[in-house]
Amino acid sequence: MIKKVQKNRAFVLLFAVTIAAILLSIALGVMNIAYREIGFGTSAKDTNEAFFAADTGVECALFYDKSDPAQNAFTGSASMSCAGSNISFVATNPWNFVVPGLGNNSNGCANVTVTKTPGDGTVVPPVLPITTVISKGYNVCSLGANTVERELNTTYLSSSS
């Protein structure tokens, strides 16, 4: 008995390889999109962590600057406690301090600078006393490739005006 050779066997193999290549390219494309979305989501989370760390630094400085003069850490020698951490700094103008342990994982921090510019009542028009608070918030305190920084700058008339 003589076997008849089928001529379309190579076509089936070529068709199967082509379909497999198309499915592989679609899968790689979807995986690439998913990978980028994860990166965008992580970036947005880190941005929020840094922003809220900066906001905590500003709020801490405002609380102690606007409080009772006996408790004002920027006019006397009072100590500060922010976000559960005792803050110490040199009592000079400008005042610099760090608020550690911020964020969901307590890895973030805020680097805060408070500057007081005295007023001069003898100049016409008078120069009013101004306080400037600059707070730089970080999603992680150890600076590295994935560190995100956000800065808030607050300026207002000092309470002594």
Side-chain angles (χ1 to χ4, degrees):
M1 185 179 235
I2 299 176
K3 290 187 177 180
K4 189 174 180 184
V5 178
Q6 294 181 352
K7 296 181 180 181
N8 56 359
R9 287 177 107 181
F11 174 76
V12 171
L13 183 60
L14 178 64
F15 186 72
V17 169
T18 304
I19 294 295
I22 290 171
L23 291 175
L24 178 65
S25 64
I26 290 172
L28 290 175
V30 169
M31 190 170 58
N32 186 26
I33 291 170
Y35 179 74
R36 288 184 183 186
E37 288 296 323
I38 290 171
F40 289 146
T42 303
S43 176
K45 177 186 167 287
D46 291 343
T47 297
N48 284 340
E49 295 275 340
F51 175 78
F52 288 123
D55 184 55
T56 301
V58 168
E59 291 296 329
C60 181
L62 288 174
F63 176 78
Y64 280 96
D65 190 38
K66 297 289 188 175
S67 64
D68 179 19
Q71 297 297 318
N72 190 331
F74 307 114
T75 59
S77 60
S79 62
M80 291 174 50
S81 176
C82 297
S85 298
N86 292 327
I87 309 295
S88 61
F89 53 87
V90 179
T92 60
N93 192 4
W95 293 267
N96 294 308
F97 61 94
V98 175
V99 182
L102 302 175
N104 288 334
N105 298 327
S106 299
N107 293 331
C109 64
N111 187 356
V112 184
T113 302
V114 178
T115 306
K116 290 188 167 285
T117 305
D120 185 357
T122 62
V123 178
V124 178
V127 176
L128 299 174
I130 294 175
T131 301
T132 302
V133 178
I134 299 172
S135 179
K136 295 181 181 181
Y138 301 94
N139 64 325
V140 289
C141 286
S142 57
L143 301 180
N146 294 325
T147 303
V148 177
E149 175 186 311
R150 292 294 177 261
E151 180 178 311
L152 292 177
N153 188 334
T154 305
T155 302
Y156 56 95
L157 292 176
S158 297
S159 57
S160 61
S161 61

